[in-house]
Amino acid sequence: TKAEQWAANKKFLDRAIKRGESFNLATPLADMRKNSFYEEEVNYLLEKGYKLNEAGTMLIPGVE
C-alpha cells in the first residue's frame, strides 16, 4: 500500500539522516511531480533541517 511504501521510505531516510548523509536529487525540484513519493521525501528532508546546495543538485544536512 502507499502507507507501507512511505513507511519503508521514511525508515530509509531516517537511517541516512542519522548518519548525516547528503542526498543527490534525481530530478530537479522544478520538475517534481505534485503528490509523488519524491515530493514527500523532499519535504520530509526539508522538515528535518536539510537545505538545498548552491548548485540545486543535492539536499545537505543543515548546520545547527
Side-chain angles (χ1 to χ4, degrees), residues 2-28:
K2 183 176 179 177
E4 291 169 328
Q5 188 172 354
W6 173 243
N9 289 358
K10 188 174 174 281
K11 185 175 182 179
F12 169 81
L13 294 173
D14 286 338
R15 287 178 177 165
I17 290 167
K18 194 174 198 178
R19 293 188 300 265
E21 292 185 18
S22 297
F23 295 87
N24 288 314
L25 298 177
T27 303

